[in-house]
Structure formats: C-alpha cells, structure tokens
Amino acid sequence: MVKTRKKLLIIHSSDELYGSDRILLEVAEALKDDWNLEVWLPVDHQDGEQRLFNELRRRQVAVIHIDMPILRRSLMNPKGLTRFAGLFPGMVRRMRAAHADHVYLMTAACLLFAPLARLAGVPHVTAHLQEPWGTREAFILRKLSFFADHRLAISQTVASSTGLRSDSVSIVHNAVPRLAGSPNPEAALIEGFEQPLYLIASRWNGHKGHETLLRAWETAGHPGKLFILGSAPQGNDSVDVPDLVRRHVSDPNSVQIVGQVESPEAWFDAVDCMILPTDTIEGCGLVVIEAFRHGKAAIVSDSGGPAEVVSHKENGLIFTPKDVAGLARLMKTTTKAELQAMGAQGRRCYERNYTPERFHQAIRAEVSRLDPVV
C-alpha cells in the first residue's frame, strides 16, 4: 500500500527572485521528494514579472497568489492593521481547507501566520528567519515567533538580533546552486580589461549602499570598471541609481548600469570582484556566496552576515559601513592579481560551507527533527 505524503505549506513574503526568494527554491528542492508541497505568494510585493511564481511552476511545485497579511513596515499603521484584521478570519478558513501537516514561514514578515496556523489546527510551524530584527519590531516578532515549534536563522547576526535564547534558534547557512550554463555575449565583451572589474548586484534599495559605493568610486579615481545589476523595487525605499551615477561620478564611462538580467551568473564570471556596500545590517548577503561560487573575491561592509562569510584579506575585504574613504582606499590599492588570489580562496570556502548538497541535508534534518516524514 502506498503511503500518502504529508503536506507542507510554504508561505513567503514576495514574488521576486532575490535572496530570500532563491532560498525558498532551495528549501522546496530539499523537501519536494518527501513532502506534498504548496506555496503561497502575496499579491502586493512582486517585481512585475512573477519570476518566483514562474520558476516554482517550472519546477512543478504547486503555487498560488493570495491576498494575505504580510508584515511590512509600510503597513504598520492603523489603516494597515485594520486591513490585517479583516483578512484574519478568511486566512484561518483557508488554512484549514489546505489540510497542511506543517506550515513553513520563509521570512519574519510571514510570522502573523504562526498564530493563524495554530488557530487553524496545523500541528507544526517552522519559521525561517532571514532578516535582522530592528529594535522596534523585535518585541512583536518575538511574541509571534513563540507560536512556531521551530526557528531557523540564516546567520548568527540574524539569530542574535531576535533576542531569543540561543538554544531556541538553529543556524542553517544559506547556499547557492552549482554553476550551469555559459557566459552571455555581453559579459564576454569585457574580457581582457587590464584594471579590476567590479560588480554590484542587488535591489536598488536605500540601505544597500549604492551611494556609498559611487562616492567611493569617484574618490578612488574610477579604479577600473563598475557594473551595476538590479532594479528598483516597489515601495518607498527604492533609490534612483542612474541619478546617483550622474550626481557622483565624473567619468560615466567607468560605470555601466546593466539593470535586471535573466542570467546574472554570466556577469559574476566576467568580473574580478563583487561589492556589497550595505549601509545598515545584512542578514547574509547571498551575493557573497555567489561570488565565491564563481571564484571571485568579495568586498563587503561590516554589516553583519557578510562579515561572517568573508575573511579579511583571505577571500575578500571588509570595510566600515558608510566609510567612503575606507572603501575607496581598498579599491585603489588592491590589484587585479590580488583579487584573483582571494577569489580562489573564496571558491574553496564555497565548497566547504555553502553548497546546495550541504543546505538540503541540513533543511531535511531540521524539518524531520520536528516532524518526521516516516
């Protein structure tokens, strides 16, 4: 007799294809053979192309869009909270109808579903914490997290920011898939460039440090070529990167705004170094691991998670957040050969710590510890 697989409902806070979205894909990959998966994505936070939705469909994972209560700073006001209250009864009914054995919350923004899952009678709830908690929201998020049986954090930085007991949070470091495919024609055009080639690949959010980087680029005298990937998300926190280039860089030919691309891997292949100049706190910085996978060095601000991955002057370089002069000095004094040597060390770090095989094994072990599939 064939045994029916248990159902795991994954709830996520965005439909894009950035850091936490890609970790959802890895979680689904880790659990799809043992569980009947269903994914709920929100209707209010998308990149316009539904890239995560389409990728899940391509992988034959059941996925739907739902108008649901996701904790966003822009909604933390009387109007937003009133809207949440109106959604709660329908969400409880919908969760009961889903008949899930386990609910997996992909980010802290989904934590309202922890008590809702309990009200719906779901036996188990896992919270996967991917963002550092600020002081103001930590009190509420801690209370909500107590409704989860199990909590995972992507770094020590994230775990510490929650204020939860260290023995109540398991740390599972992120991973990125192994390389596949070949460079695109655009990336191939920059081969043979004598000065270092740098890349920044992230959302165009205010805290990501684009202005810090561009001011440092100007201070350093445009020490090579800088490529900027990404796009501005919906919401009030986006920045106009082309305008920042016009305002801060006297040689616009030294900076190329690539924008959103289908295959960012090709650009990692083409450059010498990835830069993550976050001005505030970063939970992990998945692009650092991506850089290491490609055998590239990483220059990062000392913003939490990235500094847990990078070893200064071994596989990359670390500077103080918002320190324009410090970042400029690193770029101005580091040679292409030194970056390439650090990139080789980064590749070894990836193989030791950040492969999908290691991540999948860890996720299966954590979920099975709470809710065995046999």
Side-chain angles (χ1 to χ4, degrees), residues 304-355:
E308 293 182 37
V309 178
V310 173
S311 297
H312 187 60
K313 293 187 177 180
E314 181 180 332
N315 51 29
L317 300 166
I318 303 173
F319 70 98
T320 302
K322 298 185 180 181
D323 183 1
V324 170
L327 174 55
R329 186 165 51 252
L330 291 178
M331 291 190 293
K332 190 172 184 177
T333 60
T334 306
T335 67
K336 193 179 185 85
E338 289 170 333
L339 290 172
Q340 290 171 349
M342 287 188 280
Q345 290 291 343
R347 174 66 191 186
R348 287 188 274 273
C349 181
Y350 168 78
E351 290 293 344
R352 286 195 306 269
N353 303 312
Y354 303 110
T355 62

Side-chain angles (χ1 to χ4, degrees), residues 182-193 195-199 225 227 229 263-274 294 296 336 340:
S182 58
N184 62 26
E186 292 85 355
L189 291 176
I190 59 178
E191 292 179 355
F193 199 82
Q195 290 181 285
L197 301 172
Y198 296 95
L199 175 73
K225 184 93 173 180
F227 299 91
L229 270 61
S263 177
E265 292 84 3
W267 291 94
F268 278 93
D269 270 342
V271 302
D272 301 299
C273 180
M274 188 283 307
H294 287 262
K296 308 298 178 178
K336 193 179 185 85
Q340 290 171 349

Side-chain angles (χ1 to χ4, degrees), residues 230-338:
S231 60
Q234 297 176 353
N236 299 325
D237 190 36
S238 64
V239 294
D240 187 341
V241 169
D243 182 62
L244 290 177
V245 173
R246 287 190 293 270
R247 289 196 287 121
H248 294 295
V249 181
S250 60
D251 179 9
N253 291 325
S254 69
V255 178
Q256 180 175 333
I257 299 176
V258 180
Q260 197 70 52
V261 297
E262 190 67 30
S263 177
E265 292 84 3
W267 291 94
F268 278 93
D269 270 342
V271 302
D272 301 299
C273 180
M274 188 283 307
I275 304 181
L276 184 62
T278 307
D279 287 335
T280 54
I281 297 293
E282 194 85 53
C284 168
L286 204 61
V287 290
V288 178
I289 301 173
E290 287 185 310
F292 287 175
R293 174 188 62 180
H294 287 262
K296 308 298 178 178
I299 298 177
V300 303
S301 63
D302 192 3
S303 54
E308 293 182 37
V309 178
V310 173
S311 297
H312 187 60
K313 293 187 177 180
E314 181 180 332
N315 51 29
L317 300 166
I318 303 173
F319 70 98
T320 302
K322 298 185 180 181
D323 183 1
V324 170
L327 174 55
R329 186 165 51 252
L330 291 178
M331 291 190 293
K332 190 172 184 177
T333 60
T334 306
T335 67
K336 193 179 185 85
E338 289 170 333

Side-chain angles (χ1 to χ4, degrees), residues 4 26 53 77 91 138 187 239 245 297 334:
T4 303
E26 294 302 325
F53 177 88
N77 51 55
M91 285 295 99
V239 294
V245 173
T334 306

